[in-house]
């Protein structure tokens, strides 16, 4: 009798999709609540979600309160330790150098991200990753990979339209080689809840 279990690759893609969907919902939640930019992160331990967080830069008036940082802080408090080597992090967008440094310091073993940093940059966010850091990522000892298929599509979709953040929204305009931010935009709610 043949087993009805999904092939390992399909099961991994289903897991990636489920966890990325939660990170993406956090990204939408960040903007919907006016807490920060559209970035979300989920920390997983033993295949269970330990914490699910979003960007709190504006809410906390803290430029370091990226989704990944917020998630790591909450996970450390919840577990009562700073060693998260038995955890993975799923981020809606490729982590910036600051977040990768904290991921490394907390010893998280694996990073799975949705959208490439270039998608956030194209949407007007300062999320570029200097070329020097790309080599650092490779040598960090952390498994870092982008999701594939539908999980990547829903993460990219976050950056397809400008965002309205209460009191200051952004709209891109190409001006003389740089991006210009201007108040105007729209709020998109997570449709997957």
């Amino acid at each position: 009798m043949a087993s009805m279990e999904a092939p390992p690759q399909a099961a991994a893609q289903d897991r990636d999709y489920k966890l990325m969907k939660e990170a993406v919902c956090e990204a939408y939640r960040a903007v919907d609540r006016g807490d920060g930019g559209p970035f979300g992160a989920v920390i997983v331990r033993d295949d269970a979600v330990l914490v699910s967080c979003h960007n709190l830069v504006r809410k906390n008036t803290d430029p370091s309160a990226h989704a990944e940082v917020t998630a790591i802080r909450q996970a450390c408090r919840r577990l009562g330790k700073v060693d998260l080597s038995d955890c993975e992090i799923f981020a809606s967008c490729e982590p910036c150098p600051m977040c990768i440094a904290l991921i490394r310091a907390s010893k998280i073993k694996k990073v799975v991200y949705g959208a490439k940093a270039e998608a956030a940059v194209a949407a007007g966010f300062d999320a570029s990753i200097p070329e020097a850091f790309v080599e650092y990522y490779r040598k960090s000892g952390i498994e870092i990979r982008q999701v594939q298929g539908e999980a990547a599509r829903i993460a990219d979709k976050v950056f397809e339209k400008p965002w309205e953040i209460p009191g200051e929204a952004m709209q891109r305009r190409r001006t003389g080689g740089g991006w210009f931010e201007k108040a105007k935009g729209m709020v998109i709610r997570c449709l997957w809840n």
Side-chain angles (χ1 to χ4, degrees), residues 52 98 104:
S52 183
M98 176 187 71
R104 187 174 186 194

Side-chain angles (χ1 to χ4, degrees), residues 12-134:
Q13 284 181 340
D14 287 347
R15 179 179 185 267
D16 281 358
Y17 178 79
K18 177 184 150 216
L19 295 168
M20 190 54 58
K21 181 173 81 169
E22 189 158 346
V24 167
C25 282
E26 285 290 346
Y28 286 116
R29 202 169 285 124
V31 176
D32 192 35
R33 294 179 181 175
D35 292 344
F39 302 92
V42 174
I43 294 183
V44 179
R45 182 177 183 224
D46 298 328
D47 266 342
V49 172
L50 180 63
V51 296
S52 183
C53 301
H54 58 264
N55 184 293
L56 294 171
V57 167
R58 285 176 179 77
K59 180 179 182 181
N60 294 352
T61 319
D62 177 359
S64 72
H66 291 195
E68 299 91 335
V69 173
T70 303
I72 290 168
R73 289 173 179 161
Q74 285 188 19
C76 287
R77 277 194 298 274
R78 183 162 291 158
L79 295 174
K81 62 181 187 168
V82 296
D83 181 345
L84 301 178
S85 58
D86 55 348
C87 296
E88 303 169 65
I89 189 165
F90 283 73
S92 63
C93 187
E94 187 174 11
C96 73
M98 176 187 71
C99 292
I100 286 291
L102 184 58
I103 288 165
R104 187 174 186 194
S106 66
K107 300 181 177 148
I108 290 177
K109 62 184 177 183
K110 183 160 105 176
V111 177
V112 181
Y113 65 89
K116 295 284 288 172
E118 291 85 5
V121 171
F125 292 92
D126 183 14
S128 61
I129 298 174
E131 192 59 38
F133 283 95
V134 174

